[in-house]
Amino acid sequence: MEKTTDQLPTLETAQEALKKYFGYDQFRPMQADIISAIYGGKDALVLMPTGGGKSICYQIPAITLPGMCIVVSPLISLMKDQVESLRANGVAAAFLNSSQTSQEQQAIEDKVYHGQLQLLYVSPEKMVSQSFLPLIKQARVSLFAIDEAHCISSWGHDFRPEYKQLQFLKKQFPSVPVAALTATADKVTRRDIIQQLHLPAPKVFIASFDRPNLSLNVRPGQKRIEQILDFIGERPNQAGIIYCLSRKSTEEVAKKLKQRGLKAGAYHAGLGAPERSRIQEDFINDNLLIVCATIAFGMGIDKSNVRWVIHYNLPKNIEGYYQEIGRAGRDGARADTLLFYSFRDVTVMRDILMSNRSENLEVQLSKLERMQQYAEALICRRKILLSYFGEHLEEDCGNCDVCKNPPQYFDGTVITQKALSAVARLKEKVGLRMLIDVLRGSRRKELLALGYDKIKTYGIGGDLSAFAWQALIGQMINLGLLEIAFDQKNSLKLTEASKDVLFHNRKVQLVRMTDIKQRQEEQRQKVKPKTQRERVRDELFEALRQLRRELAREKGIPPYLVFSDASLEEMAARRPVSEFDFSMISGVGEKKMEQYGDIFIKAITSFIGKKSDEGVTLAGATQFQTLQLYKRGLRVHEIAQTRNISEQTVYEHLVKLYATDQGVDYKHFVNQKEIAQVVQVVKSITPPYKLREIYDALNEEMPYHKIRFALAYYYKRGGK
Ligand code: ADP
Ligand code: ZN
């Protein structure tokens, strides 16, 4: 269909739609620019990290431009999620894919035909199918959005042949803008996407990959289960994923957590499809909070309130690691990540890579090395991560373990000399484990058989734990004082630099290793007891979370589609009790206000009331003090006197309390005849109703408080 001369929307329109449909006040950096480009009819390539807010970039144009936006999306489960979430926000969205019956598909196609949709999600197969083209040729398409656009490139890690055929879009619809979006694309893939889609001169948008709401933590991989229990114990009721290396370990970890009374599930490719989707559903719906999984888990789900991610083992590269931790905190609220690291993990991973004999082994090994460097880093970890993706972070992030707990150096010259001299005496023939055993004077059979207990350095390091040695030797390797001969059974070798330490007294600075007990103790001392304010906030958050769960269950949708964690947090902190204040919460758009506003306001109000009964006065509690006096039977002027507030304020409180069902009876203040009079006036004027206007229309004869009560009564019955 031909483009008509409709007026193009402006950024102002976009901004209004953002609040109206999504409840957000502001675009994130870059979103507005991308939308502008699309409004201007330009093609766009958008690179943003997971959780960065890509969808808004095409959803807002879809809503505000005349016609329909078609979104190509490779994951059926994600498609369903997105459409549900859009519908929950009052957007006309639907999807078409092979999971639907032909009848269902027909119904959607009818809607397309009649121009009743703002967004249509389709699978790539559907998009390139013969039957689809004539349909969209008739429809009016405002934009094509290609999600997960890296699937088009055989260089990427997710190649999908159908994506290659999408080049017909520009040929068939030269004037319709195409937006290609992805979270992972290096330079080659980027170029490939543009070429394959035949985008003549696209605008390229590369957002920062920083996710400041994710905390980054690396801890020694020692007593992992115990550390996990501590970690989860500090985060009750929060959903999280524990990534493990193997199927077997997902099950083992889940089992150990269950033995300690936690509800945890294991998820891996070896399970049957029904079992897998059951676990996924339970996780999405907050019925199962902890999933121990291989990396396959999380790919096809859009759950925005994953609050933490733990890596039980070292991932094999930074790309994977970043993608996996990226599944936490997609709602923008705080989320924590924890990576366990031990030197042994590196050797295990190395062996796995070697035995796979993959083509680009060299590349993979060097990627593993970067991962290891990250885990061993002594500078801000976020700086390292971002620099890996070609970004430069000016300041230390303040939200990683290194920033929070800067390393403490000590003179490690003597310790290093002990280790190096043992290596020399062992003729550079042993690996890490044997070296440590020799240093610590182990009586291991193999060691004795080799006669290693006879060498001069045997047992000179018995004062340090094996774990401490491991960490310190790791540092020596990083400092270039030792090398690992991977081709000689990982045996340790001296270097030029180590000779300086052994023979020329070169000084060595090492970082003090705190062992886990000490660390836990330090942590405990650091944790400040919560203030009353924080406790109240947590309690309200929990109450709202429960409410969200019930509502979600009734509606059969995941809780995060009711409201995100970030929205609930804001509610718990700000305690909005008026419609206006509630609508100001980020994530509350018109539809959600309409659907859930009253229920949540009521819950917040009764929470404040409950606290007030417990003797805790919160902002917004003043009406409950009024309520208590009202319940004792005091008249309005008496309440006003006792509380030293005006009668008008007392009436305002009482109307609010009535409107939110807190036990005030309207009949004490207004009768049916008076209500009928007010309603009659209201029906003859246009909203918003001004009290003054109604007062005047009733010949200035009805007191304001009666009008207020009558209006509240009218609203409560849905304006009838
Ligand atoms: P992506 O597709 O890039 O992974 P999403 O589009 O799912 O990310 O967005 C991630 C989260 O951020 C969603 O919960 C989304 O509603 C929220 N979000 C997006 N844009 C904004 C904004 N301008 N203000 C507040 N939240 C936003
Ligand atoms: Zn940092």
Side-chain angles (χ1 to χ4, degrees):
M1 205 182 267
E2 205 183 353
K3 278 255 163 194
T4 52
T5 50
D6 290 302
Q7 264 205 319
L8 283 177
T10 60
L11 266 185
E12 237 174 20
T13 327
Q15 186 104 25
E16 278 165 23
L18 183 69
K19 182 65 202 169
K20 178 171 174 191
Y21 291 97
F22 299 95
Y24 301 139
D25 295 319
Q26 268 180 335
F27 285 112
R28 291 198 181 141
M30 215 157 274
Q31 286 176 332
D33 296 339
I34 295 164
I35 292 167
S36 281
I38 294 172
Y39 282 170
K42 296 237 167 32
D43 300 322
L45 173 64
V46 177
L47 268 89
M48 265 189 203
T50 309
K54 285 186 284 301
S55 340
I56 294 281
C57 302
Y58 58 83
Q59 288 167 348
I60 290 287
I63 293 167
T64 50
L65 283 169
M68 171 186 66
C69 166
I70 296 185
V71 187
V72 182
S73 170
L75 292 162
I76 290 181
S77 55
L78 273 192
M79 222 184 263
K80 192 165 146 265
D81 246 32
Q82 290 248 13
V83 167
E84 268 176 12
S85 135
L86 284 165
R87 287 196 182 146
N89 283 324
V91 180
F95 62 83
L96 269 181
N97 63 42
S98 56
S99 74
Q100 292 160 310
T101 64
S102 58
Q103 246 168 352
E104 285 170 326
Q105 296 194 27
Q106 190 55 50
I108 307 285
E109 287 174 12
D110 284 349
K111 284 194 176 171
V112 173
Y113 190 77
H114 291 108
Q116 291 165 336
L117 290 178
Q118 291 167 304
L119 274 128
L120 176 67
Y121 285 75
V122 296
S123 58
E125 295 78 13
K126 186 81 198 173
M127 186 79 216
V128 303
S129 71
Q130 287 301 321
S131 59
F132 194 60
L133 186 62
L135 179 70
I136 53 172
K137 276 267 171 183
Q138 286 176 7
R140 179 167 184 189
V141 181
S142 58
L143 169 68
F144 290 106
I146 318 291
D147 209 2
E148 313 289 348
H150 58 273
C151 294
I152 206 169
S153 169
S154 41
W155 295 99
H157 49 75
D158 246 350
F159 177 55
R160 303 232 169 187
E162 295 83 17
Y163 262 70
K164 282 239 182 222
Q165 298 174 43
L166 291 175
Q167 46 177 277
F168 79 91
L169 288 177
K170 265 290 140 185
K171 279 191 206 130
Q172 297 282 348
F173 302 88
S175 65
V176 178
V178 170
L181 310 105
T182 172
T184 49
D186 49 39
K187 284 202 187 101
V188 188
T189 316
R190 224 181 283 169
R191 223 178 307 130
D192 215 18
I193 294 173
I194 295 173
Q195 275 172 6
Q196 302 274 353
L197 285 173
H198 289 291
L199 307 182
K203 285 202 121 186
V204 178
F205 298 90
I206 303 174
S208 166
F209 271 63
D210 193 7
R211 299 274 313 278
N213 63 318
L214 297 183
S215 78
L216 306 170
N217 298 285
V218 180
R219 285 197 209 152
Q222 182 197 15
K223 301 192 178 149
R224 297 178 201 211
I225 293 292
E226 222 167 276
Q227 296 198 64
I228 290 175
L229 289 168
D230 271 357
F231 182 92
I232 295 175
E234 287 161 17
R235 292 163 183 79
N237 302 323
Q238 295 187 3
I241 307 173
I242 303 174
Y243 285 112
C244 307
L245 198 56
S246 64
R247 295 175 182 188
K248 203 169 122 228
S249 59
T250 64
E251 284 176 359
E252 280 170 7
V253 174
K255 192 169 137 206
K256 282 184 191 151
L257 296 182
K258 277 191 240 169
Q259 283 166 353
R260 310 287 189 104
L262 290 169
K263 239 179 107 186
Y267 181 103
H268 55 75
L271 299 172
E275 172 75 352
R276 276 198 317 234
S277 64
R278 188 183 61 79
I279 289 180
Q280 189 158 313
E281 285 294 308
D282 282 350
F283 186 62
I284 288 174
N285 292 318
D286 288 355
N287 295 328
L288 177 69
L289 290 178
I290 305 166
V291 175
C292 307
T294 49
I295 52 172
F297 185 74
M299 223 99 88
I301 58 176
D302 208 10
K303 183 180 171 71
S304 75
N305 63 336
V306 176
R307 293 266 69 86
W308 52 263
V309 165
I310 294 178
H311 280 88
Y312 196 81
N313 305 95
L314 191 76
K316 58 175 178 285
N317 57 47
I318 289 187
E319 286 95 336
Y321 168 68
Y322 203 55
Q323 205 166 46
E324 284 141 30
I325 61 172
R327 292 178 186 143
R330 294 182 63 156
D331 50 14
R334 200 198 144 83
D336 298 315
T337 75
L338 171 59
L339 162 69
F340 286 119
Y341 170 72
S342 79
F343 198 77
R344 220 187 102 70
D345 282 358
V346 183
T347 33
V348 169
M349 187 51 92
R350 240 192 113 82
D351 291 346
I352 293 177
L353 291 178
M354 304 281 271
S355 64
N356 287 351
R357 286 206 206 128
S358 75
E359 282 170 35
N360 43 8
L361 184 63
E362 280 309 306
V363 178
Q364 297 204 26
L365 289 176
S366 80
K367 286 193 170 191
L368 175 62
E369 210 169 292
R370 297 286 297 267
M371 188 67 228
Q372 181 190 356
Q373 282 163 359
Y374 169 82
E376 290 175 346
L378 300 172
I379 61 162
C380 173
R381 292 198 205 275
R382 201 171 311 266
K383 278 192 164 163
I384 301 181
L385 271 187
L386 290 176
S387 89
Y388 186 84
F389 294 110
E391 269 181 66
H392 177 69
L393 189 66
E394 280 297 326
E395 310 244 319
D396 285 350
C397 78
N399 195 19
C400 73
D401 58 333
V402 180
C403 283
K404 285 180 195 157
N405 231 336
Q408 294 171 11
Y409 290 91
F410 69 98
D411 182 350
T413 314
V414 176
I415 285 181
T416 309
Q417 282 168 343
K418 285 183 185 170
L420 299 185
S421 109
V423 170
R425 285 170 202 278
L426 291 163
K427 308 230 155 35
E428 304 181 63
K429 272 197 188 134
V430 305
L432 185 66
R433 174 152 179 235
M434 181 61 85
L435 173 64
I436 293 174
D437 283 347
V438 170
L439 284 165
R440 300 190 67 240
S442 152
R443 307 293 302 165
R444 188 145 69 89
K445 237 194 247 154
E446 188 192 347
L447 185 156
L448 299 178
L450 288 162
Y452 289 164
D453 56 333
K454 306 286 183 319
I455 70 168
K456 207 176 155 201
T457 39
Y458 177 77
I460 56 168
D463 50 337
L464 290 177
S465 71
F467 183 78
W469 269 118
Q470 205 178 73
L472 292 170
I473 295 172
Q475 292 181 43
M476 294 170 205
I477 295 169
N478 284 343
L479 289 170
L481 300 173
L482 282 173
E483 266 172 11
I484 305 172
F486 291 110
D487 52 349
Q488 295 171 41
K489 295 190 183 153
N490 297 335
S491 57
L492 293 163
K493 307 277 174 196
L494 296 176
T495 66
E496 280 307 307
S498 43
K499 291 178 187 142
D500 289 345
V501 179
L502 277 176
F503 309 116
H504 306 294
N505 220 6
R506 179 181 140 183
K507 295 262 172 257
V508 181
Q509 294 285 314
L510 295 178
V511 171
R512 188 175 72 93
M513 290 307 302
T514 41
D515 75 359
I516 151 171
K517 280 247 166 54
Q518 211 173 333
R519 194 179 277 263
Q520 281 171 337
E521 193 45 46
E522 282 171 11
Q523 208 98 41
R524 258 190 277 283
Q525 283 168 1
K526 261 197 203 157
V527 179
K528 281 182 255 148
K530 287 197 171 157
T531 61
Q532 155 136 326
R533 199 191 157 82
E534 287 165 335
R535 282 201 308 271
V536 168
R537 198 189 52 202
D538 290 354
E539 200 182 319
L540 178 54
F541 179 82
E542 195 43 39
L544 297 176
R545 215 174 63 85
Q546 287 306 332
L547 175 62
R548 173 177 74 173
R549 235 170 94 106
E550 282 159 32
L551 291 171
R553 195 174 304 158
E554 275 168 30
K555 287 199 145 50
I557 56 174
Y560 59 86
L561 286 189
V562 175
F563 283 121
S564 70
D565 280 12
S567 296
L568 293 195
E569 265 172 22
E570 206 182 319
M571 289 176 206
R574 307 223 318 228
R575 294 192 295 270
V577 286
S578 72
E579 280 199 7
F580 177 76
D581 288 342
F582 193 80
S583 72
M584 298 304 279
I585 299 286
S586 176
V588 180
E590 272 182 13
K591 180 88 189 249
K592 297 234 167 125
M593 182 74 221
E594 193 185 294
Q595 274 191 306
Y596 306 119
D598 278 355
I599 309 175
F600 276 82
I601 289 175
K602 236 177 247 172
I604 295 168
T605 317
S606 42
F607 178 82
I608 298 174
K610 190 184 101 198
K611 284 282 126 184
S612 178
D613 290 343
E614 291 169 13
V616 181
T617 314
L618 301 174
T622 166
Q623 42 176 315
F624 291 98
Q625 290 166 4
T626 298
L627 181 65
Q628 278 164 359
L629 299 178
Y630 166 84
K631 282 187 174 159
R632 268 194 253 150
L634 269 68
R635 315 278 291 269
V636 169
H637 70 271
E638 292 166 330
I639 299 175
Q641 235 169 21
T642 316
R643 296 209 50 208
N644 201 13
I645 53 179
S646 72
E647 282 187 27
Q648 191 194 327
T649 308
V650 175
Y651 277 122
E652 277 170 18
H653 290 170
L654 292 171
V655 169
K656 241 192 229 167
L657 291 161
Y658 161 64
T660 50
D661 295 335
Q662 305 293 325
V664 169
D665 188 352
Y666 72 96
K667 292 195 215 89
H668 292 163
F669 305 97
V670 66
N671 62 37
Q672 285 300 338
K673 193 169 146 231
E674 291 161 331
I675 292 175
Q677 281 176 296
V678 172
V679 169
Q680 201 180 4
V681 174
V682 163
K683 288 198 163 146
S684 68
I685 56 179
T686 44
Y689 310 122
K690 293 204 185 70
L691 284 179
R692 175 85 217 186
E693 211 179 333
I694 302 172
Y695 181 71
D696 288 345
L698 292 167
N699 306 321
E700 308 183 1
E701 278 166 6
M702 194 181 297
Y704 274 108
H705 76 263
K706 284 182 185 281
I707 301 178
R708 281 180 199 274
F709 266 105
L711 268 181
Y713 178 90
Y714 176 69
Y715 283 135
K716 267 178 86 108
R717 272 159 190 69
K720 272 177 229 132

